[in-house]
Amino acid sequence: MPTKTYWNLPEGKKEKLIAAAKKEFGRVLLKDASINRIIKDANISRGSFYMYFSDKDDLYAYLLSQYRINGLQMLLECLHRSKGDIIEAYKDLYTIFLEKCFNTKEKNFFQNIFLNTNLYIENKAKFFSLVIPEDDKLFYELSLVIDMKKLSKNAQENICDVVILLFDITMKNIIPVILMDSDKEEAYHHFIKSLQLIEGGIYK
């Protein structure tokens, strides 16, 4: 997690550091990323960097946590549109994610996250393991919007795990399109089949 010193920085400086980090992590994989290039682009000293983050892994995990928060916020919007139907919401979310991955300056960053299976699994753990204050609030808001009446008792009792499982399925079906230029329609069809299988297990 960022230190208190980072949170006390002016917004402009924080944005510049994050922009520099996204640029570097989009250029190469995490293992090859250079703190020197990040601090040069952000125009800060190496000492200052370590006052904000413990290392590049810490910074990377923070970036992933911000994508998680954005993803959950988008899911919340999708749930409102689907009137609480979690399966329909994830269909909507899939389309939005795919568009963002292709139509953003951060495309290379997304590609590097999913470049190989081991890296994806490692990053996915970080993606959901770093706890930040917004998490509890967002998961609570999601639980209020999801139509629980449609779900089995087990799914209701483990709703956070259901949200994460469906998120994982969504991303796994986006990976082939992003990395291997797979047919979008075919990938979406496979995604829908996966959702139908899950739907049989979580719906009444």
Side-chain angles (χ1 to χ4, degrees):
M1 276 291 286
T3 65
K4 189 177 294 186
T5 304
Y6 171 82
W7 292 119
N8 289 334
L9 284 174
E11 286 302 316
K13 286 190 175 181
K14 285 191 285 189
E15 289 172 3
K16 196 169 183 180
L17 174 55
I18 295 305
K22 288 179 179 178
K23 178 181 176 182
E24 179 63 8
F25 294 137
R27 190 185 68 82
V28 293
L29 296 179
L30 173 61
K31 63 183 179 64
D32 298 317
S34 165
I35 291 178
N36 285 336
R37 277 188 288 266
I38 293 174
I39 63 177
K40 182 178 179 181
D41 282 346
N43 195 27
I44 62 173
S45 68
R46 195 174 185 88
S48 294
F49 176 88
Y50 287 110
M51 289 176 65
Y52 309 145
F53 295 94
S54 58
D55 51 31
K56 66 181 181 182
D57 287 33
D58 189 30
L59 172 57
Y60 194 62
Y62 171 66
L63 288 180
L64 293 181
S65 77
Q66 296 308 294
Y67 281 107
R68 174 186 64 203
I69 292 301
N70 290 338
L72 292 175
Q73 288 171 336
M74 284 189 284
L75 175 59
L76 188 59
E77 294 171 4
C78 292
L79 279 165
H80 280 294
R81 286 194 290 270
S82 72
K83 296 182 173 23
D85 188 319
I86 193 169
I87 295 295
E88 290 302 317
Y90 269 99
K91 291 178 185 178
D92 191 8
L93 189 66
Y94 177 93
T95 304
I96 295 171
F97 272 176
L98 196 58
E99 184 177 341
K100 280 186 171 291
C101 287
F102 274 106
N103 299 319
T104 178
K105 294 178 181 178
E106 298 169 7
K107 180 180 178 181
N108 288 340
F109 180 75
F110 285 114
Q111 287 178 326
N112 282 346
I113 291 176
F114 306 126
L115 195 57
N116 62 63
T117 304
N118 290 335
L119 185 63
Y120 170 66
I121 292 172
E122 178 183 318
N123 286 336
K124 186 174 76 68
K126 293 177 183 177
F127 192 76
F128 286 110
S129 65
L130 183 58
V131 178
I132 54 180
E134 291 96 328
D135 283 344
D136 288 342
K137 180 176 180 292
L138 274 171
F139 274 107
Y140 176 70
E141 289 178 359
L142 289 170
S143 70
L144 294 179
V145 179
I146 294 170
D147 187 352
M148 295 291 189
K149 298 189 297 295
K150 290 186 175 182
L151 303 182
S152 67
K153 183 178 179 182
N154 184 53
Q156 291 178 30
E157 292 174 349
N158 297 280
I159 191 59
C160 288
D161 290 331
V162 170
V163 168
I164 292 172
L165 173 63
L166 290 172
F167 203 104
D168 190 23
I169 290 171
T170 302
M171 299 313 295
K172 281 184 177 178
N173 282 278
I174 285 177
I175 292 172
V177 182
I178 300 299
L179 295 184
M180 296 174 283
D181 200 27
S182 297
D183 183 78
K184 289 184 181 181
E185 289 188 13
E186 183 179 340
Y188 183 72
H189 178 68
H190 187 272
F191 171 63
I192 295 300
K193 285 184 67 175
S194 299
L195 286 186
Q196 288 171 343
L197 291 172
I198 295 297
E199 185 174 359
I202 67 172
Y203 276 31
K204 291 179 179 177

